[in-house]
Amino acid sequence: MSQDMVVPTAETLATRTCTIYVVRHGTTTMNVENRYRGRRDIPLDAQGYQDAVDAARQLSKVGLAAVYTGSLRRTIATGQIIADEAGVPDIRIMHGLINVDYGAWEGMTSQEAEMYDPVAFRLYKTSPSRAVCPNGERLRDAQERMLSALQLIGSRHPGEHVAVVSHAVMIRLVVAALEHTEGEQWRIPVGRGSLTTMMVEDGRVRLHRLPDGDDVD
């Protein structure tokens, strides 16, 4: 990955802005199979650990004050590697960072999900503000809890730099909210182990840098 780091500046400290690096967890076998992972508590595979190490190396010099993760093993493992590299003593688990509940689609490929419920799948592809996973979660609800989690983290760490480990769809939903994106373009590429940089000040989240990578699973 070639993404440049945002380093602490006098302006950041003066404005009490929290810089948040939102990290997509590393690869799992279900990523390789291109199946919806959802809330399945699957571990990183060998490549996933390398993805986490790569992210940790990028973040090792920015002076992280804290590392937050969702509650699934793949995010916890990624977060622990980042914390260890940065010398952060403990990771903090926050439910708002957990993946979308895909309901009936969990474990399916996108082709299988489309066959299961073509109407719901079309909305999932084109309208995050209206989409609902069958027997699962509204994307808007997932979007709102992720934004709330980032706002809370920002309020806890003014003027500091923080890593947050979550999931590709959760990162896409936040970017869609901040960029007011609808249509198929909301599904931006989010590489495994990539960083999306956001700034939080006075409860307002803004996008600073999109992630590297070409992964649109």
Side-chain angles (χ1 to χ4, degrees), residues 23-28 31 44 74-75 78 165-167 192-193:
V23 183
R24 182 184 179 183
H25 67 77
T27 307
T28 72
N31 287 107
L44 298 177
R74 56 192 184 273
T75 53
T78 302
V165 186
S166 190
H167 305 265
R192 299 161 197 167

Side-chain angles (χ1 to χ4, degrees), residues 1-207:
M1 271 178 259
S2 61
Q3 189 173 23
D4 295 331
M5 287 293 90
V6 178
V7 298
T9 65
E11 180 183 4
T12 298
L13 295 173
T15 59
R16 309 300 290 167
T17 300
C18 176
T19 303
I20 299 180
Y21 305 96
V22 186
V23 183
R24 182 184 179 183
H25 67 77
T27 307
T28 72
T29 55
M30 287 182 72
N31 287 107
V32 175
E33 295 168 358
N34 203 18
R35 295 182 180 276
Y36 293 122
R37 281 76 61 192
R39 304 286 176 85
R40 287 198 182 179
D41 201 8
I42 50 177
L44 298 177
D45 62 13
Q47 180 58 50
Y49 280 100
Q50 185 59 55
D51 296 334
V53 168
D54 292 343
R57 287 173 177 164
Q58 290 190 80
L59 292 169
S60 63
K61 302 279 196 255
V62 304
L64 291 178
V67 177
Y68 288 80
T69 86
S71 57
L72 299 176
R73 282 188 291 171
R74 56 192 184 273
T75 53
I76 291 172
T78 302
Q80 189 64 63
I81 290 169
I82 292 168
D84 289 346
E85 179 72 20
V88 175
D90 299 298
I91 60 172
R92 308 185 192 188
I93 296 173
M94 183 175 284
H95 177 74
L97 304 174
I98 198 172
N99 206 10
V100 167
D101 181 353
Y102 277 102
W105 283 342
E106 191 171 287
M108 293 184 183
T109 64
S110 58
Q111 293 82 7
E112 291 166 344
E114 184 174 20
M115 287 189 292
Y116 182 88
D117 192 327
V119 174
F121 186 77
R122 180 63 181 167
L123 283 176
Y124 175 79
K125 297 281 281 189
T126 62
S127 183
S129 65
R130 296 190 295 144
V132 182
C133 301
N135 301 321
E137 190 172 17
R138 288 198 319 163
L139 294 195
R140 179 177 286 177
D141 291 342
Q143 186 180 64
E144 289 175 355
R145 65 177 167 79
M146 181 70 172
L147 280 167
S148 294
L150 295 176
Q151 289 167 337
L152 177 58
I153 291 166
S155 72
R156 290 177 176 177
H157 300 279
E160 296 181 329
H161 288 230
V162 177
V164 167
V165 186
S166 190
H167 305 265
V169 68
M170 302 302 292
I171 296 167
R172 292 184 180 114
L173 286 170
V174 169
V175 172
L178 299 179
E179 299 289 283
H180 308 288
T181 305
E182 280 283 303
E184 292 191 9
Q185 60 267 32
W186 83 271
R187 298 182 66 254
I188 62 169
V190 182
R192 299 161 197 167
S194 65
L195 313 179
T196 306
T197 310
M198 300 183 185
M199 307 290 194
V200 183
E201 185 177 6
D202 297 328
R204 178 173 173 261
V205 183
R206 58 187 173 87
L207 178 67

